[in-house]
Amino acid sequence: ETGVTQSPTHLIKTRGQQVTLRCSSQSGHNTVSWYQQALGQGPQFIFQYYREEENGRGNFPPRFSGLQFPNYSSELNVNALELDDSALYLCASSPSDSSYNEQFFGPGTRLTVL
Amino acid sequence: GDSVTQMEGPVTLSEEAFLTINCTYTATGYPSLFWYVQYPGEGLQLLLKATKADDKGSNKGFEATYRKETTSFHLEKGSVQVSDSAVYFCALSRSNTGKLIFGQGTTLQVKP
């Protein structure tokens, strides 16, 4: 069984640019969540997608947006990058029958904004 | 709003020592509680979970008991190994929301 995968592993952008991060869910999972983990901090919830629809959003501005595709893979898009967007971005998937929101995490994408 | 507070680290122990990492939470209702572990350069792995009061989650020698009366979910292990060195995160979720709420993490360093 393939786990959650993310690409790319590392990314360097400059302020004002746009970035797209990608995530493939674990087999059988139809829910994907994205988190931002700043250095030395716990992950912060960005948003969740369930069956291609946004299903909850954290305290992040609209320049953070996402998509989920019919195969349940997902993208996180960030426009107008700021220095504070530098972080590890984690994707997590959940099984469709999870009754207690157990989430399985990918290895993350390390974004550096210069 | 909901929140999780963990003891500050780093926690430095010798091999075979007893481990406790404190975690308390603030939430309405009956959230599910989790411990995740993050090894250097990796994503988070679920270590254990508890979904209702008085439940004990356990895995790989680690244990934590859901204490509703003290709103706590402390992580314990009787004898730590060098390979347990990592960052440990306590988290909560409620079944009617999509999100996990994490504490700030506690770094554990185990020396031989």
Side-chain angles (χ1 to χ4, degrees), chain B residues 14-108:
Chain B
S14 297
E15 208 165 21
E16 300 185 2
F18 184 85
L19 168 71
T20 300
I21 299 178
N22 291 336
C23 170
T24 58
Y25 68 91
T26 301
T28 56
Y30 296 88
S32 296
L33 301 174
F34 304 84
W35 277 100
Y36 281 85
V37 58
Q38 187 173 36
Y39 297 100
E42 298 184 13
L44 277 70
Q45 299 176 25
L46 179 65
L47 182 59
L48 53 83
K49 62 185 183 289
T51 58
K52 61 182 186 295
D54 300 324
D55 267 3
K56 178 185 281 188
S58 61
N59 185 28
K60 299 180 181 178
F62 291 89
E63 293 183 340
T65 301
Y66 190 140
R67 301 287 188 199
K68 181 67 176 174
E69 64 276 12
T70 55
T71 62
S72 64
F73 192 55
H74 305 321
L75 183 68
E76 296 181 336
K77 187 176 185 183
S79 176
V80 294
Q81 306 300 312
V82 172
S83 58
D84 293 327
S85 298
V87 182
Y88 292 81
F89 292 94
C90 184
L92 70 82
S93 76
R94 288 192 275 151
S95 59
N96 62 340
T97 72
K99 66 179 180 181
L100 283 165
I101 297 172
F102 287 88
Q104 72 271 33
T106 302
T107 299
L108 171 65

Coordinates of all heavy atoms in Angstrom, one line a residue, chain B residues 14-108:
Chain B
S14 N 18.7 9.8 29.6 CA 19.6 8.7 29.3 C 18.8 7.5 28.9 O 17.7 7.4 29.2 CB 20.5 8.4 30.6 OG 21.3 9.5 30.9
E15 N 19.5 6.7 28.1 CA 18.8 5.5 27.6 C 18.3 4.7 28.8 O 18.9 4.6 29.9 CB 19.8 4.6 26.8 CG 19.1 3.7 25.8 CD 20.1 3.2 24.8 OE1 21.3 3.1 25.1 OE2 19.7 2.8 23.7
E16 N 17.1 4.1 28.7 CA 16.4 3.3 29.7 C 15.7 4.1 30.8 O 15.1 3.6 31.7 CB 17.3 2.2 30.3 CG 17.8 1.2 29.3 CD 18.7 0.1 29.9 OE1 18.8 0.1 31.2 OE2 19.2 -0.7 29.2
A17 N 15.8 5.4 30.7 CA 15.1 6.3 31.6 C 13.6 6.3 31.3 O 13.1 5.9 30.2 CB 15.6 7.7 31.6
F18 N 12.8 6.8 32.3 CA 11.3 6.9 32.2 C 11.0 8.2 31.6 O 11.6 9.3 31.9 CB 10.7 6.8 33.6 CG 9.2 6.8 33.5 CD1 8.5 5.6 33.3 CD2 8.5 8.0 33.7 CE1 7.1 5.6 33.2 CE2 7.1 8.0 33.6 CZ 6.4 6.8 33.4
L19 N 10.1 8.2 30.6 CA 9.7 9.4 29.9 C 8.3 9.8 30.3 O 7.3 9.0 30.3 CB 9.8 9.2 28.4 CG 9.1 10.3 27.5 CD1 10.0 11.6 27.5 CD2 9.0 9.8 26.1
T20 N 8.1 11.1 30.5 CA 6.8 11.7 30.5 C 6.8 13.1 29.8 O 7.7 13.9 30.0 CB 6.3 12.1 32.0 OG1 6.2 10.9 32.7 CG2 4.9 12.7 32.0
I21 N 5.9 13.2 28.8 CA 5.7 14.5 28.2 C 4.3 15.0 28.4 O 3.3 14.3 28.1 CB 6.0 14.4 26.6 CG1 7.4 14.0 26.4 CG2 5.7 15.8 26.0 CD1 7.7 13.8 24.9
N22 N 4.2 16.1 29.1 CA 2.8 16.6 29.5 C 2.1 17.2 28.3 O 2.7 18.0 27.5 CB 2.9 17.6 30.6 CG 3.4 16.9 31.9 OD1 3.2 15.7 32.1 ND2 4.0 17.6 32.8
C23 N 0.8 17.0 28.3 CA -0.1 17.6 27.3 C -1.4 17.9 27.9 O -2.0 17.0 28.5 CB -0.3 16.7 26.1 SG -1.5 17.2 24.9
T24 N -1.9 19.2 27.8 CA -3.2 19.5 28.3 C -3.9 20.2 27.1 O -3.3 20.7 26.2 CB -3.2 20.4 29.5 OG1 -2.4 21.6 29.1 CG2 -2.6 19.8 30.7
Y25 N -5.3 20.1 27.1 CA -6.0 20.7 26.0 C -7.2 21.5 26.5 O -7.6 21.4 27.7 CB -6.5 19.6 25.1 CG -7.6 18.7 25.8 CD1 -8.9 19.0 25.6 CD2 -7.2 17.5 26.5 CE1 -9.9 18.2 26.2 CE2 -8.2 16.7 27.1 CZ -9.5 17.1 27.0 OH -10.4 16.3 27.6
T26 N -7.7 22.4 25.7 CA -8.9 23.2 25.9 C -9.8 22.9 24.7 O -9.4 23.2 23.6 CB -8.6 24.7 26.0 OG1 -7.7 24.9 27.1 CG2 -9.8 25.5 26.2
A27 N -11.0 22.4 25.0 CA -11.9 22.1 23.9 C -13.3 21.9 24.5 O -13.4 21.4 25.6 CB -11.5 20.9 23.1
T28 N -14.3 22.2 23.7 CA -15.7 21.9 24.2 C -16.0 20.5 23.7 O -15.4 20.0 22.7 CB -16.7 22.9 23.5 OG1 -16.5 22.8 22.1 CG2 -16.4 24.3 24.0
G29 N -16.9 19.8 24.4 CA -17.3 18.5 24.0 C -16.2 17.5 24.3 O -15.4 17.6 25.2
Y30 N -16.2 16.5 23.4 CA -15.3 15.3 23.6 C -14.4 15.1 22.4 O -14.8 14.3 21.5 CB -16.1 14.1 23.9 CG -16.9 14.2 25.2 CD1 -18.1 14.8 25.3 CD2 -16.3 13.7 26.4 CE1 -18.8 14.9 26.5 CE2 -17.0 13.9 27.6 CZ -18.2 14.4 27.7 OH -18.9 14.5 28.8
P31 N -13.3 15.8 22.3 CA -12.4 15.7 21.1 C -11.7 14.3 21.2 O -11.6 13.7 22.2 CB -11.4 16.8 21.3 CG -11.3 17.0 22.8 CD -12.7 16.8 23.3
S32 N -11.2 13.9 20.0 CA -10.3 12.8 19.9 C -8.9 13.4 20.2 O -8.6 14.5 19.8 CB -10.3 12.1 18.6 OG -11.6 11.5 18.3
L33 N -8.0 12.6 20.8 CA -6.7 13.0 21.1 C -5.6 12.1 20.5 O -5.8 10.9 20.4 CB -6.5 13.1 22.7 CG -7.5 13.9 23.4 CD1 -7.3 13.8 24.9 CD2 -7.3 15.4 23.1
F34 N -4.5 12.7 20.1 CA -3.5 12.0 19.3 C -2.1 12.4 19.8 O -1.9 13.6 20.3 CB -3.6 12.4 17.9 CG -4.9 12.1 17.2 CD1 -5.9 13.1 17.3 CD2 -5.1 10.9 16.5 CE1 -7.1 12.9 16.7 CE2 -6.4 10.7 15.9 CZ -7.4 11.7 16.0
W35 N -1.2 11.5 19.7 CA 0.2 11.8 19.7 C 0.9 11.5 18.4 O 0.7 10.3 17.9 CB 1.0 11.1 20.8 CG 0.8 11.7 22.2 CD1 0.0 11.4 23.2 CD2 1.6 12.9 22.7 NE1 0.2 12.3 24.3 CE2 1.2 13.2 24.0 CE3 2.6 13.6 22.1 CZ2 1.7 14.2 24.7 CZ3 3.2 14.7 22.9 CH2 2.7 14.9 24.2
Y36 N 1.5 12.4 17.8 CA 2.3 12.2 16.6 C 3.8 12.4 16.9 O 4.2 13.1 17.8 CB 1.9 13.2 15.5 CG 0.6 12.9 14.8 CD1 -0.6 13.3 15.3 CD2 0.6 12.2 13.5 CE1 -1.8 13.0 14.6 CE2 -0.5 11.9 12.9 CZ -1.8 12.3 13.4 OH -2.9 12.0 12.7
V37 N 4.6 11.7 16.1 CA 6.1 11.8 16.2 C 6.7 12.2 14.9 O 6.2 11.8 13.8 CB 6.7 10.5 16.8 CG1 6.4 9.3 15.8 CG2 8.2 10.6 17.0
Q38 N 7.7 13.1 15.0 CA 8.3 13.6 13.7 C 9.8 13.3 13.9 O 10.5 14.0 14.7 CB 8.0 15.0 13.5 CG 8.6 15.6 12.2 CD 8.1 17.0 11.9 OE1 8.0 17.8 12.8 NE2 7.8 17.3 10.7
Y39 N 10.4 12.4 13.1 CA 11.8 12.2 13.1 C 12.5 13.2 12.2 O 11.8 13.8 11.3 CB 12.1 10.8 12.6 CG 11.5 9.7 13.6 CD1 10.4 9.1 13.3 CD2 12.2 9.4 14.8 CE1 9.8 8.1 14.2 CE2 11.7 8.5 15.7 CZ 10.5 7.9 15.3 OH 9.9 7.0 16.2
P40 N 13.8 13.5 12.4 CA 14.4 14.5 11.6 C 14.3 14.3 10.1 O 14.5 13.3 9.6 CB 15.9 14.3 12.0 CG 15.8 13.8 13.4 CD 14.6 12.9 13.4
G41 N 13.8 15.4 9.4 CA 13.7 15.4 8.0 C 12.5 14.6 7.5 O 12.4 14.4 6.2
E42 N 11.6 14.2 8.3 CA 10.4 13.5 7.9 C 9.1 14.1 8.2 O 9.1 15.1 9.0 CB 10.5 12.1 8.5 CG 11.7 11.2 8.2 CD 11.7 9.9 8.7 OE1 10.6 9.4 9.2 OE2 12.7 9.2 8.7
G43 N 8.0 13.6 7.7 CA 6.7 14.1 8.1 C 6.3 13.5 9.4 O 7.1 12.8 10.1
L44 N 5.0 13.7 9.8 CA 4.5 13.2 11.0 C 4.0 11.8 10.9 O 3.3 11.4 9.9 CB 3.4 14.1 11.5 CG 3.8 15.4 12.3 CD1 4.4 16.4 11.3 CD2 2.6 16.0 13.0
Q45 N 4.2 11.0 12.0 CA 3.7 9.6 12.0 C 2.8 9.5 13.3 O 3.1 10.0 14.3 CB 4.8 8.6 12.2 CG 5.8 8.6 11.1 CD 6.9 7.6 11.3 OE1 6.7 6.6 12.1 NE2 8.1 7.8 10.7
L46 N 1.6 8.9 13.1 CA 0.7 8.7 14.2 C 1.3 7.7 15.2 O 1.7 6.6 14.8 CB -0.7 8.2 13.7 CG -1.7 8.0 14.8 CD1 -2.0 9.2 15.6 CD2 -2.9 7.3 14.3
L47 N 1.5 8.1 16.4 CA 2.0 7.2 17.4 C 0.9 6.5 18.2 O 1.0 5.3 18.4 CB 2.9 8.0 18.4 CG 3.6 7.3 19.5 CD1 4.6 6.2 18.9 CD2 4.4 8.2 20.4
L48 N -0.1 7.2 18.7 CA -1.2 6.6 19.3 C -2.4 7.6 19.4 O -2.2 8.8 19.2 CB -0.8 6.1 20.7 CG -0.2 7.1 21.7 CD1 -1.2 8.0 22.4 CD2 0.7 6.4 22.7
K49 N -3.5 7.0 19.8 CA -4.7 7.9 19.8 C -5.7 7.4 20.9 O -5.6 6.2 21.3 CB -5.4 7.9 18.5 CG -5.9 6.5 18.0 CD -6.5 6.6 16.6 CE -7.0 5.2 16.2 NZ -6.0 4.3 16.0
A50 N -6.6 8.3 21.3 CA -7.7 7.9 22.2 C -8.9 8.7 21.8 O -8.8 9.9 21.5 CB -7.3 8.1 23.6
T51 N -10.1 8.1 21.7 CA -11.2 8.8 21.2 C -12.3 9.1 22.2 O -13.3 9.8 21.9 CB -11.9 8.0 20.0 OG1 -12.2 6.7 20.6 CG2 -10.9 7.8 18.9
K52 N -12.2 8.6 23.5 CA -13.1 9.0 24.5 C -12.5 8.9 25.9 O -11.4 8.3 26.0 CB -14.3 8.0 24.4 CG -14.1 6.6 24.7 CD -15.4 5.8 24.5 CE -15.2 4.3 24.9 NZ -14.3 3.6 24.0
A53 N -13.1 9.5 26.8 CA -12.6 9.6 28.2 C -12.2 8.3 28.7 O -12.9 7.3 28.5 CB -13.6 10.4 29.1
D54 N -11.1 8.2 29.4 CA -10.5 7.1 30.1 C -9.9 6.0 29.1 O -9.4 5.0 29.6 CB -11.5 6.4 31.0 CG -12.0 7.3 32.1 OD1 -11.2 8.1 32.6 OD2 -13.2 7.2 32.4
D55 N -10.0 6.3 27.8 CA -9.3 5.4 26.9 C -7.8 5.5 27.1 O -7.3 6.6 27.3 CB -9.6 5.8 25.4 CG -10.8 5.1 24.9 OD1 -11.4 4.2 25.6 OD2 -11.1 5.3 23.7
K56 N -7.1 4.4 26.9 CA -5.6 4.4 26.9 C -5.2 4.0 25.5 O -5.5 2.9 25.0 CB -5.1 3.5 27.9 CG -3.6 3.4 27.9 CD -3.0 2.4 28.9 CE -3.0 2.9 30.3 NZ -2.4 1.9 31.3
G57 N -4.4 4.9 24.9 CA -3.8 4.6 23.6 C -2.4 4.1 23.9 O -1.7 4.5 24.8
S58 N -1.9 3.1 23.1 CA -0.6 2.6 23.3 C 0.0 2.1 22.0 O -0.7 1.6 21.1 CB -0.6 1.4 24.3 OG -1.4 0.4 23.8
N59 N 1.3 2.2 21.9 CA 2.0 1.7 20.7 C 3.5 1.8 20.9 O 4.0 2.8 21.5 CB 1.7 2.6 19.5 CG 2.2 2.1 18.2 OD1 2.5 0.9 18.0 ND2 2.5 3.1 17.3
K60 N 4.3 0.8 20.6 CA 5.7 0.8 20.6 C 6.2 1.1 22.0 O 7.3 1.7 22.2 CB 6.3 1.8 19.6 CG 6.0 1.5 18.2 CD 6.6 2.5 17.3 CE 6.2 2.2 15.8 NZ 6.8 3.2 14.9
G61 N 5.5 0.7 23.1 CA 5.9 1.0 24.4 C 5.5 2.3 25.0 O 5.6 2.6 26.2
F62 N 4.9 3.2 24.1 CA 4.4 4.5 24.6 C 2.9 4.3 25.0 O 2.2 3.5 24.4 CB 4.5 5.5 23.4 CG 5.8 5.9 23.1 CD1 6.6 5.2 22.1 CD2 6.4 7.0 23.7 CE1 7.9 5.6 21.8 CE2 7.7 7.4 23.4 CZ 8.4 6.7 22.4
E63 N 2.5 5.1 26.0 CA 1.1 5.0 26.4 C 0.6 6.5 26.7 O 1.4 7.3 27.1 CB 1.0 4.2 27.7 CG 1.2 2.8 27.6 CD 1.0 2.0 28.9 OE1 1.0 2.7 29.9 OE2 0.8 0.8 28.8
A64 N -0.7 6.7 26.6 CA -1.3 7.9 27.0 C -2.7 7.7 27.4 O -3.4 6.9 26.6 CB -1.2 9.0 26.0
T65 N -3.2 8.3 28.5 CA -4.6 8.1 28.9 C -5.4 9.4 28.8 O -4.9 10.4 29.3 CB -4.7 7.5 30.3 OG1 -3.9 6.3 30.4 CG2 -6.1 7.3 30.8
Y66 N -6.5 9.3 28.2 CA -7.4 10.4 28.0 C -8.1 10.7 29.3 O -9.0 10.0 29.8 CB -8.5 10.0 27.0 CG -9.4 11.1 26.4 CD1 -9.7 11.1 25.1 CD2 -10.0 12.0 27.2 CE1 -10.6 12.0 24.5 CE2 -10.9 13.0 26.7 CZ -11.2 13.0 25.3 OH -12.1 13.9 24.8
R67 N -7.7 11.9 30.0 CA -8.3 12.3 31.2 C -9.1 13.5 31.1 O -8.6 14.6 30.9 CB -7.1 12.6 32.2 CG -6.1 11.5 32.5 CD -6.7 10.4 33.3 NE -5.7 9.4 33.7 CZ -6.1 8.2 34.2 NH1 -7.3 7.8 34.3 NH2 -5.1 7.3 34.5
K68 N -10.4 13.2 31.1 CA -11.4 14.3 30.9 C -11.4 15.3 32.1 O -11.5 16.5 31.9 CB -12.8 13.8 30.7 CG -13.9 14.8 30.4 CD -13.7 15.5 29.1 CE -14.9 16.5 28.8 NZ -14.6 17.3 27.6
E69 N -11.3 14.8 33.3 CA -11.3 15.6 34.5 C -10.2 16.6 34.6 O -10.4 17.7 35.2 CB -11.4 14.7 35.7 CG -10.2 13.9 36.0 CD -10.2 12.5 35.2 OE1 -11.0 12.4 34.3 OE2 -9.3 11.7 35.6
T70 N -9.0 16.2 34.0 CA -7.9 17.1 34.1 C -7.5 17.6 32.7 O -6.5 18.4 32.5 CB -6.6 16.4 34.7 OG1 -6.4 15.2 33.9 CG2 -6.8 16.0 36.1
T71 N -8.4 17.4 31.7 CA -8.1 17.7 30.3 C -6.7 17.5 29.9 O -6.0 18.4 29.4 CB -8.5 19.2 30.0 OG1 -7.8 20.1 30.8 CG2 -10.0 19.4 30.3
S72 N -6.2 16.2 30.1 CA -4.8 15.9 29.8 C -4.7 14.7 29.0 O -5.6 13.8 29.0 CB -4.0 15.8 31.2 OG -4.5 14.7 31.9
F73 N -3.5 14.5 28.4 CA -3.2 13.3 27.6 C -1.7 13.2 27.6 O -1.0 13.3 26.6 CB -3.8 13.5 26.2 CG -3.8 12.3 25.3 CD1 -4.4 11.1 25.8 CD2 -3.2 12.3 24.1 CE1 -4.5 10.0 25.0 CE2 -3.3 11.1 23.3 CZ -3.9 10.0 23.7
H74 N -1.1 12.9 28.8 CA 0.3 12.8 28.9 C 0.9 11.6 28.3 O 0.4 10.5 28.5 CB 0.7 12.9 30.4 CG 0.1 14.0 31.2 ND1 0.0 15.3 30.6 CD2 -0.4 14.1 32.4 CE1 -0.5 16.1 31.5 NE2 -0.8 15.4 32.6
L75 N 2.0 11.7 27.6 CA 2.7 10.6 27.0 C 3.7 10.0 27.9 O 4.5 10.8 28.5 CB 3.4 11.1 25.7 CG 4.1 10.0 24.8 CD1 3.1 9.1 24.2 CD2 4.9 10.7 23.7
E76 N 3.8 8.7 28.0 CA 4.7 8.0 28.9 C 5.4 6.8 28.2 O 4.8 6.2 27.3 CB 4.0 7.5 30.2 CG 3.5 8.7 31.1 CD 2.8 8.1 32.3 OE1 2.4 6.9 32.3 OE2 2.7 8.9 33.3
K77 N 6.6 6.6 28.6 CA 7.3 5.3 28.2 C 8.2 4.9 29.3 O 8.9 5.7 29.8 CB 8.1 5.5 26.9 CG 8.6 4.2 26.3 CD 9.3 4.4 25.0 CE 9.8 3.0 24.5 NZ 10.5 3.1 23.2
G78 N 8.2 3.6 29.6 CA 8.9 3.1 30.7 C 10.4 3.1 30.6 O 11.2 3.3 31.5
S79 N 10.9 2.9 29.3 CA 12.3 2.8 29.1 C 12.7 3.3 27.7 O 12.4 2.6 26.7 CB 12.8 1.3 29.3 OG 14.1 1.2 29.0
V80 N 13.2 4.5 27.6 CA 13.4 5.1 26.3 C 14.7 4.6 25.7 O 15.6 4.2 26.4 CB 13.5 6.6 26.3 CG1 12.1 7.2 26.7 CG2 14.6 7.1 27.3
Q81 N 14.8 4.6 24.3 CA 15.9 4.2 23.6 C 16.4 5.4 22.7 O 15.7 6.4 22.5 CB 15.6 3.1 22.6 CG 14.9 1.9 23.3 CD 15.9 1.3 24.4 OE1 17.0 1.0 24.1 NE2 15.3 1.0 25.6
V82 N 17.7 5.3 22.3 CA 18.2 6.4 21.5 C 17.4 6.6 20.3 O 17.2 7.8 19.8 CB 19.7 6.1 21.1 CG1 20.2 7.1 20.1 CG2 20.6 6.0 22.3
S83 N 16.8 5.6 19.7 CA 16.0 5.7 18.5 C 14.7 6.4 18.7 O 14.0 6.7 17.8 CB 15.7 4.3 17.9 OG 15.1 3.5 18.9
D84 N 14.3 6.7 20.0 CA 13.1 7.5 20.3 C 13.3 9.0 20.2 O 12.4 9.8 20.3 CB 12.6 7.2 21.7 CG 12.1 5.7 21.9 OD1 11.6 5.2 20.9 OD2 12.3 5.2 23.0
S85 N 14.6 9.4 19.9 CA 14.9 10.8 19.8 C 14.1 11.4 18.6 O 14.3 10.9 17.5 CB 16.4 11.0 19.6 OG 17.1 10.5 20.7
A86 N 13.3 12.4 18.8 CA 12.4 12.9 17.8 C 11.7 14.1 18.4 O 11.9 14.4 19.6 CB 11.4 11.9 17.3
V87 N 10.8 14.7 17.6 CA 9.9 15.7 18.1 C 8.5 15.1 18.3 O 8.0 14.4 17.3 CB 9.8 16.9 17.2 CG1 8.9 18.0 17.8 CG2 11.2 17.5 17.0
Y88 N 7.9 15.3 19.4 CA 6.5 14.7 19.7 C 5.5 15.8 19.8 O 5.7 16.8 20.5 CB 6.6 13.9 21.0 CG 7.5 12.7 20.9 CD1 8.9 12.8 21.0 CD2 6.9 11.4 20.7 CE1 9.7 11.6 20.9 CE2 7.7 10.3 20.5 CZ 9.1 10.4 20.6 OH 9.9 9.3 20.5
F89 N 4.4 15.5 19.1 CA 3.3 16.5 19.0 C 2.0 15.9 19.6 O 1.6 14.8 19.1 CB 3.0 16.9 17.6 CG 4.1 17.8 16.9 CD1 5.1 17.1 16.2 CD2 4.2 19.1 17.1 CE1 6.1 17.9 15.6 CE2 5.2 19.9 16.5 CZ 6.1 19.2 15.8
C90 N 1.4 16.6 20.5 CA 0.1 16.3 21.0 C -1.0 17.0 20.1 O -0.7 18.2 19.7 CB -0.1 16.7 22.4 SG -1.6 16.2 23.2
A91 N -2.1 16.4 19.8 CA -3.1 17.0 18.9 C -4.5 16.6 19.3 O -4.7 15.5 19.9 CB -2.8 16.7 17.4
L92 N -5.4 17.4 18.9 CA -6.8 17.1 19.1 C -7.6 17.3 17.8 O -7.2 18.1 17.0 CB -7.5 17.8 20.3 CG -7.7 19.3 20.2 CD1 -9.0 19.7 19.4 CD2 -7.8 19.9 21.6
S93 N -8.8 16.6 17.7 CA -9.7 16.9 16.7 C -11.1 16.6 17.1 O -11.3 15.8 18.1 CB -9.4 16.1 15.4 OG -9.8 14.8 15.6
R94 N -12.1 17.3 16.5 CA -13.4 16.9 16.8 C -14.0 16.4 15.5 O -13.7 16.8 14.4 CB -14.2 18.2 17.3 CG -13.8 18.6 18.7 CD -14.7 19.6 19.3 NE -14.3 20.9 18.9 CZ -15.1 22.0 18.7 NH1 -16.4 21.8 18.9 NH2 -14.7 23.1 18.4
S95 N -14.9 15.4 15.7 CA -15.4 14.7 14.5 C -16.2 15.5 13.5 O -16.3 15.2 12.4 CB -16.3 13.5 15.0 OG -17.4 14.0 15.7
N96 N -16.7 16.7 14.0 CA -17.5 17.5 13.1 C -16.6 18.6 12.4 O -17.2 19.4 11.7 CB -18.6 18.2 13.9 CG -18.1 19.1 15.0 OD1 -17.0 19.0 15.4 ND2 -18.9 20.0 15.4
T97 N -15.3 18.5 12.5 CA -14.4 19.4 11.8 C -13.4 18.6 11.1 O -13.2 17.5 11.4 CB -13.8 20.4 12.8 OG1 -12.7 19.7 13.5 CG2 -14.7 21.1 13.7
G98 N -12.7 19.3 10.1 CA -11.7 18.6 9.4 C -10.3 18.7 9.9 O -9.4 18.2 9.3
K99 N -10.1 19.5 11.0 CA -8.8 19.8 11.3 C -8.2 19.2 12.6 O -9.0 19.0 13.5 CB -8.6 21.4 11.4 CG -9.4 22.0 12.6 CD -9.2 23.5 12.6 CE -10.0 24.2 13.7 NZ -9.8 25.6 13.7
L100 N -6.9 19.0 12.5 CA -6.2 18.6 13.8 C -5.6 19.9 14.3 O -5.1 20.8 13.6 CB -5.0 17.7 13.4 CG -5.4 16.2 13.2 CD1 -4.2 15.5 12.5 CD2 -5.7 15.6 14.5
I101 N -5.7 20.1 15.6 CA -5.0 21.2 16.3 C -3.8 20.7 17.1 O -4.0 19.8 18.0 CB -6.0 21.9 17.2 CG1 -7.2 22.5 16.4 CG2 -5.3 23.0 18.1 CD1 -8.3 23.1 17.2
F102 N -2.7 21.2 16.8 CA -1.4 20.7 17.4 C -0.9 21.6 18.5 O -1.0 22.8 18.5 CB -0.3 20.5 16.3 CG -0.6 19.4 15.3 CD1 -1.3 19.6 14.2 CD2 0.0 18.2 15.5 CE1 -1.5 18.6 13.3 CE2 -0.2 17.2 14.6 CZ -0.9 17.4 13.5
G103 N -0.2 20.9 19.4 CA 0.7 21.7 20.3 C 1.9 22.1 19.6 O 2.1 21.8 18.5
Q104 N 2.8 22.8 20.4 CA 4.0 23.3 19.7 C 5.1 22.3 19.5 O 6.1 22.6 18.9 CB 4.5 24.5 20.5 CG 5.2 24.1 21.9 CD 4.2 24.1 23.0 OE1 3.0 23.7 22.8 NE2 4.7 24.4 24.2
G105 N 4.9 21.1 20.1 CA 5.9 20.1 19.9 C 6.9 20.0 21.1 O 7.3 21.1 21.7
T106 N 7.4 18.9 21.4 CA 8.4 18.7 22.5 C 9.6 17.8 21.9 O 9.3 16.7 21.4 CB 7.9 18.0 23.7 OG1 6.8 18.8 24.2 CG2 8.9 17.8 24.8
T107 N 10.8 18.4 21.9 CA 11.9 17.6 21.4 C 12.5 16.7 22.5 O 12.7 17.1 23.6 CB 13.0 18.6 20.9 OG1 12.5 19.4 19.9 CG2 14.2 17.8 20.4
L108 N 12.6 15.4 22.1 CA 13.2 14.4 23.0 C 14.6 14.0 22.5 O 14.7 13.6 21.3 CB 12.3 13.2 23.1 CG 12.9 12.0 23.9 CD1 13.2 12.3 25.3 CD2 12.0 10.8 23.7

